Short mmCIF file of all heavy atoms in Angstrom, two decimals:
data_model
loop_
_atom_site.label_atom_id
_atom_site.label_comp_id
_atom_site.label_asym_id
_atom_site.label_seq_id
_atom_site.Cartn_x
_atom_site.Cartn_y
_atom_site.Cartn_z
N PHE A 63 3.89 15.55 -6.87
CA PHE A 63 5.11 15.45 -7.65
C PHE A 63 4.82 15.29 -9.12
O PHE A 63 3.67 14.96 -9.54
CB PHE A 63 5.95 14.25 -7.16
CG PHE A 63 6.70 14.55 -5.91
CD1 PHE A 63 6.09 14.45 -4.71
CD2 PHE A 63 8.05 14.89 -6.00
CE1 PHE A 63 6.80 14.83 -3.50
CE2 PHE A 63 8.79 15.22 -4.86
CZ PHE A 63 8.16 15.09 -3.64
N ASN A 64 5.85 15.44 -9.99
CA ASN A 64 5.63 15.25 -11.40
C ASN A 64 5.73 13.78 -11.80
O ASN A 64 5.47 13.45 -12.96
CB ASN A 64 6.52 16.17 -12.25
CG ASN A 64 7.98 15.92 -11.97
OD1 ASN A 64 8.38 14.92 -11.40
ND2 ASN A 64 8.86 16.84 -12.41
N SER A 65 6.10 12.96 -10.86
CA SER A 65 6.03 11.49 -11.16
C SER A 65 6.16 10.75 -9.80
O SER A 65 6.62 11.33 -8.80
CB SER A 65 7.17 11.03 -12.08
OG SER A 65 8.38 11.15 -11.43
N CYS A 66 5.86 9.45 -9.82
CA CYS A 66 6.09 8.63 -8.62
C CYS A 66 7.59 8.51 -8.46
O CYS A 66 8.05 8.38 -7.34
CB CYS A 66 5.43 7.25 -8.84
SG CYS A 66 5.66 6.13 -7.56
N THR A 67 8.30 8.38 -9.54
CA THR A 67 9.78 8.25 -9.45
C THR A 67 10.40 9.39 -8.63
O THR A 67 11.18 9.13 -7.77
CB THR A 67 10.40 8.25 -10.92
OG1 THR A 67 9.75 7.31 -11.70
CG2 THR A 67 11.86 8.07 -10.88
N ALA A 68 9.95 10.62 -8.98
CA ALA A 68 10.41 11.82 -8.24
C ALA A 68 10.09 11.65 -6.75
O ALA A 68 10.92 12.02 -5.87
CB ALA A 68 9.85 13.03 -8.78
N ALA A 69 8.81 11.23 -6.49
CA ALA A 69 8.42 11.10 -5.06
C ALA A 69 9.24 9.99 -4.31
O ALA A 69 9.64 10.26 -3.18
CB ALA A 69 6.95 10.73 -4.99
N LEU A 70 9.52 8.91 -5.01
CA LEU A 70 10.32 7.86 -4.36
C LEU A 70 11.73 8.39 -4.06
O LEU A 70 12.31 8.12 -3.03
CB LEU A 70 10.42 6.61 -5.33
CG LEU A 70 9.19 5.76 -5.44
CD1 LEU A 70 9.34 4.85 -6.66
CD2 LEU A 70 8.96 4.93 -4.19
N MET A 90 11.06 -7.44 -8.31
CA MET A 90 9.86 -7.57 -9.17
C MET A 90 9.15 -6.24 -9.18
O MET A 90 8.15 -6.03 -8.51
CB MET A 90 8.93 -8.69 -8.61
CG MET A 90 7.63 -8.90 -9.34
SD MET A 90 7.72 -8.95 -11.12
CE MET A 90 8.75 -10.40 -11.49
N THR A 91 9.69 -5.29 -9.95
CA THR A 91 9.19 -3.93 -9.96
C THR A 91 9.71 -3.18 -11.17
O THR A 91 10.58 -3.72 -11.93
CB THR A 91 9.59 -3.13 -8.72
OG1 THR A 91 9.02 -1.84 -8.73
CG2 THR A 91 11.10 -2.99 -8.58
N PHE A 92 9.14 -1.99 -11.44
CA PHE A 92 9.68 -1.15 -12.45
C PHE A 92 11.04 -0.50 -11.95
O PHE A 92 11.19 -0.35 -10.73
CB PHE A 92 8.68 -0.02 -12.78
CG PHE A 92 9.13 0.81 -13.91
CD1 PHE A 92 9.42 0.28 -15.17
CD2 PHE A 92 9.26 2.20 -13.75
CE1 PHE A 92 9.80 1.11 -16.25
CE2 PHE A 92 9.66 2.99 -14.78
CZ PHE A 92 9.95 2.51 -16.03
N ALA A 93 11.94 -0.15 -12.85
CA ALA A 93 13.25 0.28 -12.53
C ALA A 93 13.21 1.44 -11.51
O ALA A 93 14.18 1.61 -10.73
CB ALA A 93 14.00 0.68 -13.75
N ALA A 94 12.13 2.24 -11.60
CA ALA A 94 12.07 3.43 -10.74
C ALA A 94 12.38 3.12 -9.23
O ALA A 94 13.03 3.92 -8.55
CB ALA A 94 10.67 4.10 -10.87
N SER A 95 11.83 2.03 -8.75
CA SER A 95 11.99 1.74 -7.34
C SER A 95 13.45 1.57 -6.96
O SER A 95 13.81 2.00 -5.83
CB SER A 95 11.21 0.48 -6.94
OG SER A 95 10.10 0.22 -7.68
N ALA A 96 14.24 0.96 -7.80
CA ALA A 96 15.62 0.77 -7.49
C ALA A 96 16.52 1.88 -7.98
O ALA A 96 17.51 2.27 -7.31
CB ALA A 96 16.08 -0.57 -8.08
N THR A 98 16.01 4.96 -8.08
CA THR A 98 15.97 6.14 -7.21
C THR A 98 16.83 5.90 -5.97
O THR A 98 17.32 6.86 -5.39
CB THR A 98 14.53 6.51 -6.78
OG1 THR A 98 13.85 5.26 -6.41
CG2 THR A 98 13.76 7.13 -7.98
N ILE A 137 7.19 -2.82 -2.44
CA ILE A 137 6.33 -2.46 -3.60
C ILE A 137 4.98 -3.23 -3.50
O ILE A 137 5.00 -4.47 -3.46
CB ILE A 137 7.07 -2.81 -4.96
CG1 ILE A 137 8.27 -1.96 -5.08
CG2 ILE A 137 6.11 -2.63 -6.12
CD1 ILE A 137 9.53 -2.75 -4.97
N HIS A 138 3.94 -2.50 -3.50
CA HIS A 138 2.59 -3.13 -3.46
C HIS A 138 2.23 -3.57 -4.90
O HIS A 138 1.52 -2.88 -5.62
CB HIS A 138 1.50 -2.17 -2.95
CG HIS A 138 1.78 -1.68 -1.58
ND1 HIS A 138 1.73 -2.47 -0.43
CD2 HIS A 138 2.20 -0.43 -1.13
CE1 HIS A 138 2.08 -1.76 0.64
NE2 HIS A 138 2.32 -0.56 0.27
N TYR A 139 2.80 -4.79 -5.23
CA TYR A 139 2.81 -5.24 -6.59
C TYR A 139 1.38 -5.41 -7.19
O TYR A 139 0.58 -6.23 -6.56
CB TYR A 139 3.59 -6.53 -6.69
CG TYR A 139 3.53 -7.25 -8.03
CD1 TYR A 139 4.38 -6.84 -9.06
CD2 TYR A 139 2.69 -8.32 -8.29
CE1 TYR A 139 4.36 -7.51 -10.27
CE2 TYR A 139 2.67 -8.96 -9.41
CZ TYR A 139 3.47 -8.57 -10.45
OH TYR A 139 3.48 -9.17 -11.69
N ALA A 140 1.03 -4.81 -8.33
CA ALA A 140 -0.17 -5.02 -9.05
C ALA A 140 -1.48 -4.49 -8.34
O ALA A 140 -2.56 -4.49 -8.93
CB ALA A 140 -0.34 -6.48 -9.47
N ASP A 163 6.38 1.88 -2.08
CA ASP A 163 6.07 2.16 -3.48
C ASP A 163 4.61 1.69 -3.79
O ASP A 163 4.32 0.54 -3.94
CB ASP A 163 7.05 1.45 -4.41
CG ASP A 163 6.89 1.69 -5.85
OD1 ASP A 163 5.75 2.09 -6.21
OD2 ASP A 163 7.82 1.57 -6.61
N ALA A 164 3.76 2.72 -3.78
CA ALA A 164 2.30 2.42 -3.98
C ALA A 164 1.87 2.92 -5.36
O ALA A 164 0.72 3.30 -5.57
CB ALA A 164 1.50 3.17 -2.92
N ALA A 165 2.78 2.77 -6.29
CA ALA A 165 2.46 3.16 -7.70
C ALA A 165 1.21 2.41 -8.21
O ALA A 165 0.39 3.00 -8.97
CB ALA A 165 3.63 2.96 -8.66
N HIS A 166 1.02 1.17 -7.71
CA HIS A 166 -0.10 0.39 -8.18
C HIS A 166 -1.25 0.34 -7.16
O HIS A 166 -2.21 -0.32 -7.39
CB HIS A 166 0.32 -1.10 -8.33
CG HIS A 166 1.42 -1.27 -9.32
ND1 HIS A 166 1.97 -2.52 -9.62
CD2 HIS A 166 2.09 -0.38 -10.11
CE1 HIS A 166 2.93 -2.38 -10.47
NE2 HIS A 166 3.06 -1.11 -10.83
N SER A 186 4.47 6.54 -1.90
CA SER A 186 4.51 7.26 -3.17
C SER A 186 3.60 6.56 -4.12
O SER A 186 3.60 5.37 -4.36
CB SER A 186 5.91 7.19 -3.72
OG SER A 186 6.79 7.91 -2.91
N TYR A 187 2.77 7.44 -4.83
CA TYR A 187 1.76 6.95 -5.84
C TYR A 187 2.12 7.47 -7.21
O TYR A 187 2.73 8.54 -7.32
CB TYR A 187 0.39 7.47 -5.45
CG TYR A 187 -0.07 7.14 -4.07
CD1 TYR A 187 0.32 7.88 -2.97
CD2 TYR A 187 -0.93 6.04 -3.87
CE1 TYR A 187 -0.09 7.58 -1.69
CE2 TYR A 187 -1.32 5.74 -2.58
CZ TYR A 187 -0.95 6.50 -1.49
OH TYR A 187 -1.31 6.14 -0.26
N SER A 188 1.66 6.72 -8.20
CA SER A 188 1.91 7.12 -9.62
C SER A 188 0.61 7.50 -10.29
O SER A 188 -0.46 6.79 -10.12
CB SER A 188 2.62 6.03 -10.41
OG SER A 188 2.63 6.39 -11.74
N PHE A 189 0.60 8.62 -11.04
CA PHE A 189 -0.50 8.91 -11.85
C PHE A 189 -0.19 8.91 -13.39
O PHE A 189 -0.71 9.57 -14.18
CB PHE A 189 -1.07 10.34 -11.48
CG PHE A 189 -1.27 10.54 -9.98
CD1 PHE A 189 -0.84 11.71 -9.38
CD2 PHE A 189 -1.91 9.56 -9.30
CE1 PHE A 189 -1.04 11.90 -8.00
CE2 PHE A 189 -2.11 9.74 -7.91
CZ PHE A 189 -1.64 10.86 -7.26
N TYR A 190 0.77 8.00 -13.69
CA TYR A 190 1.20 7.78 -15.06
C TYR A 190 -0.02 7.38 -15.91
O TYR A 190 -1.00 6.90 -15.32
CB TYR A 190 2.32 6.72 -15.06
CG TYR A 190 2.83 6.32 -16.41
CD1 TYR A 190 3.58 7.23 -17.19
CD2 TYR A 190 2.56 5.08 -16.97
CE1 TYR A 190 3.98 6.91 -18.44
CE2 TYR A 190 3.07 4.70 -18.17
CZ TYR A 190 3.73 5.66 -18.94
OH TYR A 190 4.19 5.33 -20.17
N ALA A 191 0.10 7.51 -17.22
CA ALA A 191 -1.05 7.37 -18.09
C ALA A 191 -1.82 6.02 -17.94
O ALA A 191 -3.00 5.92 -18.18
CB ALA A 191 -0.61 7.43 -19.54
N THR A 192 -1.11 4.95 -17.48
CA THR A 192 -1.75 3.64 -17.33
C THR A 192 -2.33 3.39 -15.97
O THR A 192 -2.95 2.36 -15.77
CB THR A 192 -0.72 2.54 -17.58
OG1 THR A 192 0.41 2.68 -16.63
CG2 THR A 192 -0.14 2.53 -19.01
N LYS A 193 -2.18 4.33 -15.05
CA LYS A 193 -2.47 4.05 -13.69
C LYS A 193 -4.01 4.24 -13.38
O LYS A 193 -4.74 4.83 -14.19
CB LYS A 193 -1.68 4.96 -12.73
CG LYS A 193 -0.19 4.70 -12.88
CD LYS A 193 0.14 3.26 -12.41
CE LYS A 193 1.65 2.95 -12.29
NZ LYS A 193 2.37 2.81 -13.50
N GLY A 198 -1.57 11.72 -16.87
CA GLY A 198 -0.56 11.70 -17.91
C GLY A 198 0.79 11.27 -17.37
O GLY A 198 1.25 10.18 -17.54
N GLU A 199 1.38 12.17 -16.58
CA GLU A 199 2.53 11.91 -15.75
C GLU A 199 2.21 12.57 -14.43
O GLU A 199 1.46 13.64 -14.39
CB GLU A 199 3.76 12.59 -16.26
CG GLU A 199 4.28 12.08 -17.60
CD GLU A 199 5.13 10.83 -17.63
OE1 GLU A 199 5.34 10.28 -16.52
OE2 GLU A 199 5.58 10.45 -18.70
N GLY A 200 2.65 12.01 -13.34
CA GLY A 200 2.33 12.67 -12.03
C GLY A 200 2.56 11.71 -10.87
O GLY A 200 2.58 10.51 -11.09
N GLY A 201 2.62 12.20 -9.69
CA GLY A 201 2.76 11.40 -8.54
C GLY A 201 2.46 12.11 -7.30
O GLY A 201 2.23 13.35 -7.26
N MET A 202 2.39 11.43 -6.16
CA MET A 202 2.02 12.06 -4.87
C MET A 202 2.84 11.27 -3.76
O MET A 202 3.03 10.08 -3.85
CB MET A 202 0.55 11.89 -4.61
CG MET A 202 -0.03 12.69 -3.46
SD MET A 202 -0.09 14.47 -3.74
CE MET A 202 -1.57 14.62 -4.74
N HIS A 303 -4.84 -2.82 -10.19
CA HIS A 303 -4.18 -2.00 -11.14
C HIS A 303 -3.74 -2.96 -12.33
O HIS A 303 -3.86 -2.58 -13.47
CB HIS A 303 -2.90 -1.38 -10.54
CG HIS A 303 -2.02 -0.75 -11.60
ND1 HIS A 303 -2.53 0.16 -12.52
CD2 HIS A 303 -0.76 -0.96 -11.96
CE1 HIS A 303 -1.54 0.53 -13.35
NE2 HIS A 303 -0.50 -0.17 -13.03
N LEU A 304 -3.28 -4.14 -12.00
CA LEU A 304 -2.93 -5.10 -13.03
C LEU A 304 -3.66 -6.42 -12.81
O LEU A 304 -3.95 -6.78 -11.69
CB LEU A 304 -1.42 -5.39 -12.98
CG LEU A 304 -0.46 -4.23 -13.19
CD1 LEU A 304 0.98 -4.79 -12.88
CD2 LEU A 304 -0.57 -3.63 -14.51
N HIS A 335 4.68 -7.72 -16.36
CA HIS A 335 5.11 -6.95 -15.20
C HIS A 335 5.71 -7.90 -14.17
O HIS A 335 5.02 -8.67 -13.64
CB HIS A 335 3.93 -6.23 -14.58
CG HIS A 335 3.32 -5.17 -15.46
ND1 HIS A 335 2.37 -5.52 -16.33
CD2 HIS A 335 3.59 -3.92 -15.56
CE1 HIS A 335 2.04 -4.42 -17.01
NE2 HIS A 335 2.77 -3.40 -16.56
N PHE A 336 7.01 -7.87 -14.08
CA PHE A 336 8.01 -7.00 -14.71
C PHE A 336 9.21 -7.86 -15.21
O PHE A 336 9.38 -8.95 -14.66
CB PHE A 336 8.54 -6.04 -13.69
CG PHE A 336 7.56 -4.97 -13.27
CD1 PHE A 336 6.80 -5.06 -12.09
CD2 PHE A 336 7.35 -3.77 -14.05
CE1 PHE A 336 5.92 -4.08 -11.74
CE2 PHE A 336 6.49 -2.80 -13.65
CZ PHE A 336 5.78 -2.95 -12.51
C1 PLP B 426 5.99 -0.26 -9.21
C2 PLP B 426 6.31 1.05 -9.89
N1 PLP B 426 6.97 1.93 -9.18
C3 PLP B 426 7.23 3.20 -9.65
C4 PLP B 426 6.82 3.59 -10.93
C5 PLP B 426 7.17 4.87 -11.47
O1 PLP B 426 5.97 5.67 -11.67
P1 PLP B 426 6.11 7.05 -12.53
O2 PLP B 426 6.08 6.65 -13.96
O3 PLP B 426 4.91 7.83 -12.11
O4 PLP B 426 7.37 7.69 -12.17
C6 PLP B 426 6.10 2.66 -11.70
C7 PLP B 426 5.64 3.03 -13.01
O5 PLP B 426 5.01 2.33 -13.75
C8 PLP B 426 5.83 1.34 -11.16
O6 PLP B 426 5.10 0.43 -11.83
#
Side-chain angles (χ1 to χ4, degrees):
F63 279 83
N64 58 17
S65 69
C66 178
T67 306
L70 286 165
M90 179 45 62
T91 185
F92 184 58
S95 327
T98 47
I137 295 111
H138 300 292
Y139 173 83
D163 182 336
H166 302 179
S186 297
Y187 303 83
S188 173
F189 309 136
Y190 179 67
T192 57
K193 296 297 189 284
E199 300 274 4
M202 192 71 81
H303 171 54
L304 301 174
H335 296 88
F336 288 99

